[in-house]
């Protein structure tokens, strides 16, 4: 990758981007051609061989100017300047040699070479150049003192010709100065226009960044990322705004916005080598890089190259020190690619906002993905087993039902695992696996008691429990769990009725909250399971005794039964019997265990016989 240099490093070294010789060479060629013609005519009229010889040299200088123009068009500025400087010096020295008395006029010609070599890249270059011009002028005066092949021009011509040469040189100097002044003016205008463009772009960037303060997290990470990408694409000269999601060593497109067609689409994953480079580089903070000349390392690279992308800038999205994504802008403008460093503060601001409103959602999603993968492994490996806890008729201490519970191989508590599975979108799959395992193991239970299965409302409504119970012959009690809210009680009642006449309903945790009473009223269950918070220490708490007695009377008035959960002491059991609570469940009455180890219940006991006995 090529790291972008700052705009100052790319600034032209001359007054403008156009070399002054482009304007100066045409008048030089014209004046030299006119001088050569005048020398020829004067030489013939005056029969002065020196003028004719000088005309040949001047004509040669015209040819040199043409060659210099060709070199300038080819981009060889140094060659063009050298040709002109040599031509002027030779022409001046030869003129002083061929025409006696011409030295004072010709001595100014080396100074003209200084003008032709301006503007200089460095001031130090002017010192040897001026010294060379001074040496050339001195050499011309020395030549004037040596023996010369032709006689001095007499009469008015001897005065007029050197004066004409001096005037011509001054005209060339004036033309050069004018050319430089025009170029300086154009360069200044270009600098002013560039500054105005940069100021406007800066205002636009500031306005866009200011708008970030009003951004809020959307319903999904994709919606939030799209909002950010759209705002990124509105930065000056930015063709595409892209939000990337990092998950481990993987990097993918979360959202893209800007000028279509898009070279990549949301969901596209980066090649491993490109992802490794970007994630490693992002640890150093925001950066920009040129795209031109990059070797194609993957599909996205080829598409970006075909799209004409010239440069891009990145900034990491962080949370708690971890990188969870990247903010990226891309441009197809070659000039903007050079100046992307100027946009880095704005890109960094976007990354800060993304870290605040997008990163938490990404982290939550990544965690859910890990949970999902963990539960998928639990299901695939069968890392769980059903156990059964008896529901006891406390009048005779015989089991009349068994609740199927799940124990995980790693010792994790069941409720958090089931809740996490539902949050990760795999709750039904886990319920299906555990219910099927419970039904298979229930074959070893006594045949008379019912089997209680825990099921979420969605699992019942979605037909999962119906599929599990296909072909079942045992009486079933469905305990509706609290893993998800119930929005449509009528549909849930219909789905339970469709399970068959041998299936009854129990509502768990009665007395633990208002929602449980809603379940009792709306579902009209056959069993109301009293929450353990009401049972714990009931033998010493008159308030709890009053509440349990009231719930028992309420249930009996509706022809339902209460089941006291969490009975752990003989005193609690005795108190519940005194309150005429017939059914109980807890460690005092029986611990959960494998089906084969459960004590035999009363084969004559059933839900129907319970109603008959009451």
């Amino acid at each position: 990758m090529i790291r972008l240099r700052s705009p100052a490093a790319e600034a032209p070294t001359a007054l403008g981007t156009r070399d002054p010789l482009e304007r100066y060479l045409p008048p030089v060629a014209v004046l030299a051609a006119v001088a050569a013609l005048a020398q020829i005519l004067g030489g013939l009229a005056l029969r002065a061989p020196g003028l004719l010889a000088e005309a040949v040299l001047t004509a040669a200088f015209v040819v040199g100017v043409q060659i210099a123009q060709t070199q300038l068009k080819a981009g060889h500025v140094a060659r063009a300047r050298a040709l002109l400087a040599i031509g002027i010096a030779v022409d001046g020295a030869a003129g002083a040699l061929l025409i006696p008395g011409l030295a004072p006029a010709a001595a100014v010609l080396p100074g003209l070479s200084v003008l032709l070599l301006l503007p200089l890249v460095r001031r130090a270059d002017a010192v040897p150049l001026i010294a060379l011009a001074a040496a050339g002028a001195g050499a011309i005066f020395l030549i004037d003192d040596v023996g010369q092949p032709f006689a001095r021009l007499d009469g008015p011509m001897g005065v007029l010709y050197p004066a004409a040469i001096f005037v011509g040189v001054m005209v060339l100097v004036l033309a050069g100065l004018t050319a430089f002044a025009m170029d300086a003016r154009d360069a200044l205008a270009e600098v002013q226009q560039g500054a105005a463009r940069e100021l406007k772009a800066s205002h636009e960037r500031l306005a866009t960044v200011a708008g970030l303060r009003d951004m809020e997290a959307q319903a999904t990470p994709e919606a939030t990322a799209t909002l950010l990408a759209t705002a990124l694409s509105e930065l000056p000269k930015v063709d595409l705004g892209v939000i990337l999601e990092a998950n481990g060593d993987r990097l993918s497109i979360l959202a893209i916005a800007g000028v279509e067609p898009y070279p990549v689409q949301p969901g596209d994953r980066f090649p491993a080598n490109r992802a490794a480079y970007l994630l490693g580089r992002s640890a150093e903070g925001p950066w920009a890089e040129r795209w031109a000349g990059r070797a194609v390392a993957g599909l996205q690279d080829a598409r970006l190259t075909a799209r004409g992308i010239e440069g891009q800038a990145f900034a990491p999205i962080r949370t708690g020190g971890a990188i969870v994504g990247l903010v990226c802008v891309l441009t197809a403008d070659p000039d903007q690619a050079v100046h992307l460093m100027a946009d880095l503060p704005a890109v960094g601001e976007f990354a800060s906002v993304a870290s605040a409103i997008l990163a938490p959602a990404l982290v939550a999603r990544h965690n859910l993905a890990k949970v999902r993968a963990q539960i998928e492994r639990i299901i695939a490996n069968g890392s769980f087993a059903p156990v059964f806890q008896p529901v006891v008729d406390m009048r005779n201490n015989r089991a009349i039902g068994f609740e199927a519970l799940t124990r995980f191989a790693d010792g994790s508590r069941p409720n958090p695992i089931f809740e996490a599975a539902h949050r990760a979108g795999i709750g039904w799959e886990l319920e299906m696996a555990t219910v099927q395992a419970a039904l298979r193991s229930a074959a070893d239970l006594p045949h008379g008691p019912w089997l209680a299965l825990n099921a979420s409302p969605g699992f019942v409504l979605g037909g999962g429990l119906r599929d599990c119970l296909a072909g079942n012959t045992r009486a079933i009690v469905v305990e509706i769990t609290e893993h998800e809210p119930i929005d449509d009680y009528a549909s849930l009642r219909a789905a339970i009725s469709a399970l068959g006449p041998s299936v009854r309903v129990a509502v768990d945790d009665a007395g633990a909250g208002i929602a449980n009473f809603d379940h009792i009223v709306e579902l009209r269950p056959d069993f109301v399971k009293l929450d353990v918070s009401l049972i714990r220490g009931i033998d010493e708490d008159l308030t709890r005794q009053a509440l349990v007695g009231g719930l028992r009377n309420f249930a009996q008035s509706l022809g339902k039964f209460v089941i006291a959960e969490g009975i752990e002491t003989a005193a609690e059991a005795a108190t519940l019997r005194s309150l005429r609570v017939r059914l109980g469940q807890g460690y005092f009455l029986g611990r959960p265990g494998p089906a084969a180890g459960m004590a035999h219940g009363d084969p004559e006991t059933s839900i129907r016989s319970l109603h008959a006995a009451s």
Side-chain angles (χ1 to χ4, degrees):
M1 295 295 168
I2 303 173
R3 185 176 177 88
L4 286 183
R5 293 176 290 176
S6 66
E10 299 290 339
T13 55
L15 291 175
T17 56
R18 180 181 180 186
D19 196 279
L21 289 179
E22 291 184 24
R23 287 180 173 169
Y24 193 35
L25 284 180
V28 169
V30 171
L31 285 173
V34 170
L37 180 60
Q39 288 166 349
I40 292 172
L41 294 176
L44 292 175
L46 300 174
R47 296 181 181 180
L51 285 178
L52 293 174
E54 180 68 14
V56 173
L57 289 174
T58 305
F61 177 71
V62 174
V63 173
V65 172
Q66 299 300 321
I67 296 173
Q69 284 182 304
T70 303
Q71 293 295 314
L72 193 62
K73 289 179 180 178
H76 304 303
V77 179
R79 292 181 190 176
R81 290 177 176 176
L83 281 171
L84 287 173
I86 292 170
I88 289 173
V90 170
D91 199 29
L97 180 65
L98 296 175
I99 304 176
L102 191 61
V108 301
L109 288 175
L112 185 60
S113 65
V114 176
L115 187 65
L116 291 172
L117 290 173
L118 290 176
L120 300 170
V121 177
R122 294 176 301 178
R123 292 182 180 179
D125 292 341
V127 176
L129 191 60
I130 294 172
L132 224 83
I140 291 174
F141 278 111
L142 289 175
I143 288 173
D144 195 42
D145 294 333
V146 304
Q148 295 166 310
F150 304 110
R152 182 183 296 271
L153 292 175
D154 296 324
M157 195 64 187
V159 177
L160 182 61
Y161 184 72
I165 293 295
F166 185 81
V167 171
V169 171
M170 290 300 101
V171 170
L172 285 176
V173 171
L174 182 61
L177 292 175
T178 303
F180 295 147
M182 293 175 66
D183 278 309
R185 180 198 62 192
D186 294 345
L188 181 60
E190 184 176 344
V191 168
Q192 291 174 335
Q193 291 172 359
R197 288 193 299 269
E198 284 300 317
L199 184 60
K200 180 181 178 182
S202 177
H203 286 164
E204 291 175 355
R205 282 193 293 268
L206 288 174
T208 303
V209 170
L212 296 178
R213 292 176 297 180
D214 299 327
M215 282 193 179
E216 296 180 353
Q218 304 299 299
T220 65
E222 286 76 12
T224 304
T226 299
L227 192 67
L228 287 164
T230 301
L232 275 170
S233 68
E234 294 172 355
L235 287 171
K237 295 186 179 180
V238 168
D239 288 79
L240 296 171
V242 185
I243 304 297
L244 309 178
E245 179 180 5
N247 190 359
D249 58 354
R250 294 180 299 173
L251 196 62
S252 58
I253 306 293
L254 188 59
I256 183 169
V259 181
E260 298 187 27
Y262 298 151
V264 291
Q265 297 296 327
D268 286 355
R269 287 181 57 180
F270 277 68
N273 58 346
R274 178 71 174 156
Y277 163 75
L278 291 175
L279 291 173
R281 181 66 181 79
S282 62
E284 302 175 19
W287 82 99
E289 59 190 29
R290 294 294 298 272
W291 184 263
R294 269 186 40 79
V296 176
L299 179 62
Q300 284 85 357
D301 290 10
R303 290 176 180 172
L304 291 176
T305 301
R307 177 70 165 71
I309 296 301
E310 293 283 345
Q312 50 192 348
F314 297 89
I317 303 172
R318 302 176 184 271
T319 179
I323 295 173
V324 296
L326 293 174
V327 166
C328 174
V329 295
L330 301 98
T331 180
D333 188 316
D335 294 331
Q336 176 64 10
V338 174
H339 299 289
L340 267 177
M341 292 290 288
D343 280 332
L344 280 184
V347 177
E349 286 291 334
F350 273 89
S352 297
V353 173
S355 296
I357 68 174
L358 177 60
L362 291 179
V363 170
R365 183 160 70 180
H366 297 169
N367 291 338
L368 280 182
K370 292 178 183 178
V371 169
R372 183 183 180 92
Q374 177 186 4
I375 293 174
E376 285 175 343
R377 287 194 297 271
I378 290 174
I379 295 172
N381 298 332
S383 303
F384 59 89
V387 294
F388 301 87
Q389 185 174 32
V391 177
V392 174
D393 185 340
M394 290 192 291
R395 296 179 308 176
N396 53 25
N397 290 330
R398 297 185 69 89
I400 62 170
F402 293 95
E403 180 182 2
L405 303 170
T406 299
R407 295 293 181 263
F408 292 94
D410 62 358
S412 299
R413 293 175 55 221
N415 280 350
I417 295 228
F418 278 100
E419 290 169 1
H422 280 280
R423 288 197 304 272
I426 198 173
W428 293 4
E429 289 85 344
L430 183 60
E431 286 192 64
M432 177 74 75
T434 55
V435 168
Q436 288 176 339
L439 288 170
R440 287 193 299 268
S441 294
D444 295 329
L445 289 173
H447 296 294
W450 74 76
L451 176 64
L453 299 171
N454 290 280
S456 66
F459 187 59
V460 177
L461 286 167
L465 184 60
R466 182 194 62 232
D467 295 341
C468 290
L469 294 179
N472 172 71
T473 57
R474 182 186 292 273
I476 298 294
V477 173
V478 178
E479 292 193 17
I480 302 300
T481 64
E482 291 293 317
H483 297 314
E484 57 189 43
I486 300 174
D487 297 322
D488 188 348
Y489 282 101
S491 297
L492 182 58
R493 288 195 300 269
I496 294 172
S497 298
L499 296 175
S502 63
V503 177
R504 298 294 186 269
V505 180
V507 168
D508 208 2
D509 301 332
I514 298 298
N516 304 93
F517 286 106
D518 288 341
H519 295 347
I520 294 171
V521 173
E522 295 291 344
L523 292 179
R524 299 186 283 276
D526 297 274
F527 298 96
V528 177
K529 302 190 76 172
L530 303 180
D531 186 67
V532 66
S533 64
L534 295 178
I535 306 305
R536 187 73 67 244
I538 191 173
D539 54 302
E540 299 178 350
D541 192 325
L542 294 178
T543 301
R544 283 184 170 84
Q545 293 175 21
L547 286 172
V548 169
L551 287 171
R552 186 262 178 199
N553 293 334
F554 168 74
Q556 186 177 26
S557 68
L558 297 175
K560 313 300 181 184
F561 291 91
V562 294
I563 301 175
E565 287 191 290
I567 303 173
E568 295 189 351
T569 66
E572 290 172 350
T575 301
L576 289 166
R577 290 191 189 99
S578 69
L579 294 173
R580 293 186 297 160
V581 175
R582 178 176 175 182
L583 305 180
Q585 184 178 355
Y587 279 10
F588 176 73
L589 301 176
R591 290 178 175 271
M598 289 294 103
H600 289 286
D602 186 350
E604 301 300 324
T605 301
S606 66
I607 295 174
R608 185 176 292 108
S609 65
L610 272 177
H611 282 282
S614 63

